[in-house]
Amino acid sequence: MNALSSRTARLRAGRWLAAAWFMACVGFTAWQEPAPDQQLFVLVVMLCSLGVALCLTARPALALGLTGAGFVLLKALGQLKLRYLDSSLMPADFVYFVRSSLVETLEHYPPLLAAAAAVAIGLPLAVWLLWRREPAVDARQRWPRALAMRALGVAATVFALHLALAANGPFAQVHNRNAWQKLSDAAQLTNFFVNLEDDDVHLPPRASDALAEQDWAHTAGSAPPAVPAPAAHYPDVVQVLEESTFDPSVFTACNLPPCRVGMFRADRHTRAHGALRVHTFGGGTWVSEFASITGLPQSIFGPGGMYAPYVLAPRVHDTLPLQLQRLGYLTVAIYPTAGGFINGRNAYRDYGFEQFYDVNDLGLEAWKSSDAQMFAAAWKVYQRVKQPGRPVFMMILTLAQHGPHDIHPLSSLPPPYNQGLLRGLPEQAALNFDTYLSRLQASDRAMHELEAHFLHRAQPTVLMTFGDHQPAFSGLIRDLARTLPATAPASVREKQDYLTYYMLKSNLVDPPLLPSYPLLDIAYLPSMVLQAAGLPTDPYFAAETALRDRCDGLYTDCARPDLLASYHAWIFDRLHVYQ
């Protein structure tokens, strides 16, 4: 066998070996997706990617090896992130970590750092070796013809890849899942590629600059300067997000004393309370966090708004904690899961929190901490960080009510809930509701203790608590009858699946008088907190306060869309709240 035929045989064997490698990679990646349509989706994306690589390089072995390795690497990154950071891999992760310090993050996870170093060194070396050893299949063609054929091939395969990834394309069914599924279920690669399309962000419709000036310029002039000089006289501010919590007494079947819970009832410390309009149902706590901190509903940003901690948080430039920082506050977050979950730690840093304590920092168990444990841990942190003359803003998140509410039998609940408290409901719906009520009693006791700590003392304090969304009750809650007040406006009835509660209390000696609304949008919580605390507002929150009054507590449901358009022009194009 001469040298040429020997080289040809080696080249052919190498390409067959690369093809076998690619098939193995398909088995490790696409075939691991849980559903057949997801498997086919990832396979088509792999084949389209292979086509792009083949047309770019004109080297089959290199294209097969590189494409297979790329998808295996993506799968491995997803598994490593899930294991060490407790959240799924997102396209925005690459943008985020390029923007921040990747090495600093990896230093906290030595296995990840070692794997990253191996890939950073090994992958370019392998590509270089394959490129050197494998000649291009079009090497004997004239270069203009070869270049044109490659360009045509790249265009065709990129177009095919675009069609495969399109939300309304041949794989539309893999896109048709809620945001929680796309962030947390087992279809790791499907979720990654679906989110390439779904995390698109766009600003809402905006009016002309002249109209925005006409409608909102006066609010900027009325906003006093944010100075920390009198910070010693500012009250502490505590904001509590109650996971999956709503007032059960609005449901027709819930007409017993355990349904009328104290944490939803006004007392001498109450300054404002009522129904809260949220923008997510059954899950998506992170978007309620976003709205309650920034004053912006995620829904105005389009589909990508559901991924606020990844794609919105880094670009928001005015928030409640940032305003409070300007007033001299120390801003602290108490988080009920690992800080990497749904990009929490990074997002809260972007929101303006100086200190962040996740469940590990608090010495608690992830996903199993009661409200009482979270509040006790928060109080300990408060006592440690509180300094004379400097007010504290503390955001506390709970998790005790997180669904599902039907995985344990009724007999496992404490009495009287283990006997089936509610009558007239289907068995599965009753189990969900009884479980919810059982947990709610524990939350109510914990809230009573939290109020005792923060409100029953001389230190001036404002306490805002709210529910982030209704639980889904395995999809059953939507069909449960509700008894809304006869005076409830149509907006309340139309949005009944998107209603929770808010309760704003304080122990101030001379509290400001707060307005009352039939329904309050969650985006207005920051301006309500600032008003209840008697704190200066910057031009952004001054404008939000004016919008709140002019739209009677509504935001996206405001009866004047023209006013909302001019408001968005003002805050986005003039104040640059989001860039």
Side-chain angles (χ1 to χ4, degrees), residues 372-390:
Q373 290 173 312
M374 289 301 303
F375 294 160
W379 178 246
K380 288 181 181 178
V381 170
Y382 172 83
Q383 291 178 304
R384 185 165 65 248
V385 303
K386 177 65 176 178
Q387 299 293 328
R390 187 179 188 188

Side-chain angles (χ1 to χ4, degrees), residues 149-162:
M149 293 300 293
R150 289 194 194 188
L152 183 62
V154 168
T157 51
V158 167
F159 179 70
L161 182 60
H162 171 73

Side-chain angles (χ1 to χ4, degrees), residues 34-58:
D37 58 340
Q38 295 167 346
Q39 294 171 355
L40 183 60
F41 170 67
V42 176
L43 175 61
V44 169
V45 172
M46 289 185 74
L47 292 174
C48 291
S49 302
L50 173 62
V52 173
L54 181 59
C55 293
L56 281 173
T57 66

Side-chain angles (χ1 to χ4, degrees), residues 386-410:
K386 177 65 176 178
Q387 299 293 328
R390 187 179 188 188
V392 172
F393 170 57
M394 179 172 280
M395 175 83 175
I396 307 171
L397 284 77
T398 68
L399 205 59
Q401 277 287 13
H402 196 285
H405 291 81
D406 57 0
I407 60 173
H408 299 296
L410 194 67

Side-chain angles (χ1 to χ4, degrees), residues 513-530:
L513 184 63
L514 298 182
S516 175
Y517 304 104
L519 181 63
L520 181 70
D521 196 287
I522 188 173
Y524 293 129
L525 293 187
S527 60
M528 290 288 286
V529 165
L530 291 170

Side-chain angles (χ1 to χ4, degrees), residues 195-259:
N195 286 324
L196 283 172
E197 295 285 335
D198 286 355
D199 67 3
D200 285 346
V201 171
H202 57 75
L203 292 178
R206 301 182 301 288
S208 66
D209 188 66
L211 188 57
E213 175 84 17
Q214 174 184 316
D215 286 342
W216 305 102
H218 69 282
T219 62
S222 65
V227 292
H233 304 294
Y234 291 157
D236 289 332
V237 176
V238 179
Q239 185 160 293
V240 181
L241 181 153
E242 283 283 3
E243 169 68 36
S244 300
T245 301
F246 63 94
D247 184 352
S249 66
V250 301
F251 285 81
T252 305
C254 203
N255 55 7
L256 302 173
C259 300

